[in-house]
Amino acid sequence: MKVVLEHVTKTFPNRNKKIKDDVIAVSDFTYEIPDGKLIGLLGPSGCGKSTTLNLISGLLKPTSGRIFFGDDDVTDISPEHRGIGLVFQNYALYPHMTVAENIMFPLGNLRGKEKMSRADMRAKAEEIARLVQIDPYLDRKPAELSGGQQQRVAIARALVKMPRVLLLDEPLSNLDARLRLQTREEIRRIQRETGITTIFVTHDQEEAMSISDAIVVMRDGVVQQIGAPQEVYNDPCNLFVAKFLGTPPINVFAGTVRAGKLYFGDDCVLDVPGVSDRDVTVGIRPEGFEVDAAGPMHCALSAIEVMGRDVSIVASHESCQSASIRAIVDADDVKGLSTAVRFRLKAHKVDLFDPATEARIPVGE
Ligand code: ATP
């Protein structure tokens, strides 16, 4: 089921009497979420992710714009009638019910022709429990399960009516690091197996990048960029997106372009054909540096941190906008380094931005 947002805007009245304007939580959001895909809504706290999800679920009504599930306009339809499954950060399971009863609960509300016998409900709950791999625990109470298992029960409960759209709001936030990793892979698997169009809200870029078919990066209610995770990482449309994606984060420098060459201070670090003479903000991914004794970029070396196969070089340069540069290089490349390091830059890992608008500046003739 494709989900279409057409110029969706949501404002809230501002409770601060000194400010007249409304809070714009989501601004003019237009996007067609393809059928059967998993989409990650991503951005810092307050950027409008949960509001967008709640608009899709019907818990909130847009101030303007329309929302479609397939060809059905659902804008004025209540959440119960939209055919959605919802999973929240706090699993919100009924503590006095067993796992099976929790999963069956939505089926008990079915009326008329859809009404199911208790045996059918149990069979359906068992089928879904197998899908999310919690079938051994059907007769336990939620308190007798780990956080990750409880979240799977919540997912099973959201899936039991086979929703048209599955909506997940920070579903992994309450889990520890290992469980997060495991559960996010589970979500991916379950989504693939069921083929249900899924929208997943997170502020964790790594989480969104690892499981999404496409990510939507938001800032202050405004969509910044939509695309496949690697595409957005490789070609960020602005400095905000470039900084938001990637760990360690992109390194940011103040540079100058003169005669098609990029300078950091006196260091002429890269050819940037097609860019006119100007000041630029430069983003370099940690994997964009190559250690080279004859490299054009002269840095002071602060530390070398070994991370298994790769090492992380912590260095500094006067043009860098933060105290240190972080470069990820091969372990063999750091032999013999002591107080200084010289880098050559990989052109495809370097992005130029307008210092005023922060929009990306295209490079190339
Ligand atoms: P978080 O990651 O912290 O949950 P978010 O990206 O999900 O953040 P939203 O909860 O969608 O952000 O909020 C977007 C903006 O709308 C914020 O500035 C928030 O303060 C505001 N907002 C959300 N709900 C309301 C409301 N009911 N009344 C007034 N303002 C609201």
Side-chain angles (χ1 to χ4, degrees):
M1 173 75 52
K2 72 176 178 187
V3 174
V4 183
L5 292 103
E6 247 181 43
H7 300 292
V8 171
T9 293
K10 179 67 185 174
T11 61
F12 293 106
N14 205 318
R15 303 234 184 270
N16 183 343
K17 295 208 171 68
K18 288 191 195 133
I19 305 171
K20 269 201 273 133
D21 295 335
D22 288 341
V23 179
I24 304 175
V26 176
S27 175
D28 197 15
F29 193 150
T30 294
Y31 180 36
E32 181 171 320
I33 299 169
D35 180 27
K37 298 290 179 198
L38 195 162
I39 304 301
L41 281 183
L42 180 64
S45 181
C47 72
K49 310 178 290 291
S50 297
T51 304
T52 304
L53 202 77
N54 291 337
L55 289 165
I56 298 171
S57 72
L59 293 173
L60 288 173
K61 236 187 123 187
T63 312
S64 59
R66 309 302 299 174
I67 298 172
F68 298 84
F69 284 5
D71 294 327
D72 301 343
D73 185 340
V74 296
T75 318
D76 299 314
I77 294 183
S78 65
E80 312 81 87
H81 297 110
R82 284 195 187 190
I84 48 153
L86 263 174
V87 178
F88 297 103
Q89 174 178 345
N90 56 350
Y91 329 115
L93 300 176
Y94 301 111
H96 58 287
M97 292 185 189
T98 63
V99 166
E101 286 164 348
N102 265 284
I103 300 174
M104 281 152 62
F105 187 80
L107 301 177
N109 295 331
L110 295 173
R111 293 286 169 264
K113 266 198 287 192
E114 289 183 320
K115 195 167 163 50
M116 289 171 84
S117 71
R118 197 158 169 86
D120 286 349
M121 286 198 271
R122 174 82 193 192
K124 186 76 194 166
E126 283 174 7
E127 179 194 328
I128 298 292
R130 274 194 297 279
L131 175 71
V132 304
Q133 295 175 352
I134 41 146
D135 43 316
Y137 314 117
L138 277 169
D139 297 313
R140 287 200 200 171
K141 296 271 171 65
E144 295 160 349
L145 299 176
S146 73
Q149 290 163 344
Q150 290 185 46
Q151 193 54 297
R152 287 182 201 204
V153 178
I155 295 168
R157 189 178 55 184
L159 288 174
V160 76
K161 283 210 283 187
M162 278 299 154
R164 302 202 285 177
V165 180
L166 180 64
L167 304 169
L168 308 164
D169 194 351
E170 300 263 7
L172 308 178
S173 297
N174 286 351
L175 307 180
D176 69 31
R178 260 185 65 169
L179 261 180
R180 281 180 86 108
L181 210 71
Q182 198 187 345
T183 314
R184 82 183 188 202
E185 281 157 20
E186 280 295 293
I187 289 176
R188 185 56 175 152
R189 177 186 62 79
I190 294 162
Q191 194 275 332
R192 285 235 168 97
E193 280 181 25
T194 58
I196 296 175
T197 308
T198 300
I199 301 152
F200 179 99
V201 161
T202 178
H203 61 272
D204 181 335
Q205 53 91 23
E206 201 190 322
E207 199 165 280
M209 302 244 316
S210 63
I211 63 168
S212 307
D213 293 306
I215 54 171
V216 177
V217 185
M218 297 182 73
R219 178 193 199 179
D220 297 336
V222 180
V223 172
Q224 304 289 299
Q225 192 167 359
I226 301 177
Q230 204 58 40
E231 201 177 288
V232 180
Y233 178 85
N234 289 340
D235 293 313
C237 68
N238 61 31
L239 185 59
F240 172 83
V241 174
K243 281 167 134 174
F244 198 74
L245 300 184
T247 35
I250 200 161
N251 299 282
V252 183
F253 297 80
T256 317
V257 175
R258 290 197 299 272
K261 297 196 182 297
L262 173 64
Y263 289 82
F264 291 159
D266 293 331
D267 291 347
C268 176
V269 294
L270 195 68
D271 286 347
V272 284
V275 181
S276 55
D277 291 4
R278 57 177 301 167
D279 288 339
V280 286
T281 301
V282 184
I284 307 175
R285 292 285 174 199
E287 65 275 22
F289 298 90
E290 267 177 296
V291 176
D292 181 343
M297 190 173 162
H298 296 71
C299 298
L301 179 66
S302 316
I304 294 172
E305 294 170 3
V306 180
M307 307 179 303
R309 191 172 57 87
D310 292 331
V311 298
S312 172
I313 296 182
V314 186
S316 59
H317 189 284
E318 59 188 11
S319 298
C320 186
Q321 290 188 348
S322 57
S324 55
I325 302 165
R326 217 164 247 282
I328 309 277
V329 299
D330 209 80
D332 293 338
D333 295 342
V334 297
K335 289 190 186 122
L337 293 181
S338 60
T339 56
V341 56
R342 289 175 68 168
F343 292 118
R344 179 170 305 287
L345 300 181
K346 297 177 192 166
H348 65 289
K349 293 285 173 185
V350 178
D351 294 313
L352 306 189
F353 303 95
D354 183 306
T357 64
E358 300 196 343
R360 179 140 174 240
I361 301 167
V363 179
E365 279 147 314

